[in-house]
Amino acid sequence: MAVLSLCALVTIAAAPAQADVVAKIDKSNQRMRVYVNGTLRHDWAVSTARKGFVTPSGSYRVGHMARMHYSRKYHNSPMPYSLFFRGGYAIHGTYAVGHLGRQASHGCIRLAPAHAAALYELTRIYGGTRVVIR
């Protein structure tokens, strides 16, 4: 019986953590608030689409993840800690941190590299992050 209980405990401990991770992007204020199980964990400046481009509004799930992605569409630009949603759109780090807090992207949601890494890690640990853009 003790062996069975120990096996059950090891199985439970090895199971991935489950949490509800939600990244809420406010395009009008250029902010992202990250919630884990309903509790605000982070509040960061972002850059969304500049004039002539679109960051889509809606609710999405993160699909593909890439620790480092290079844009095929925009001159092989580096996109560290990319979390893709709705096809080719992504939340990713940017080295143009001076532009954060205002519209500057081609449609993706840009974060400071350390913030993108933190969101990437939450998504990796807890599973599919939901992205809500308004």
Side-chain angles (χ1 to χ4, degrees), residues 44-47 80-81 92-97 100 110-118:
W44 297 316
V46 298
S47 288
Y81 304 104
H92 63 82
T94 182
Y95 300 115
V97 294
L100 294 173
R110 299 178 183 173
L111 287 168
H115 298 161

Side-chain angles (χ1 to χ4, degrees), residues 25-109:
I25 295 90
D26 181 341
K27 293 189 291 185
S28 63
N29 292 316
Q30 296 294 293
R31 301 294 299 177
M32 174 188 290
R33 290 179 178 84
V34 179
Y35 297 85
V36 178
N37 289 330
T39 301
L40 179 64
R41 289 277 285 276
H42 302 287
D43 184 350
W44 297 316
V46 298
S47 288
T48 60
R50 67 182 184 237
K51 189 174 181 165
F53 295 91
V54 174
T55 298
S57 295
S59 182
Y60 309 95
R61 280 273 182 209
V62 168
H64 175 70
M65 297 172 56
R67 191 169 297 276
M68 177 55 85
H69 178 81
Y70 293 92
S71 172
R72 290 183 217 79
K73 189 171 184 178
Y74 296 107
H75 315 292
N76 216 30
S77 296
M79 298 166 58
Y81 304 104
S82 293
L83 303 173
F84 288 90
F85 64 94
R86 195 175 180 254
Y89 290 96
I91 297 171
H92 63 82
T94 182
Y95 300 115
V97 294
H99 295 287
L100 294 173
R102 60 182 192 255
Q103 298 172 332
S105 80
H106 290 106
C108 287
I109 299 161

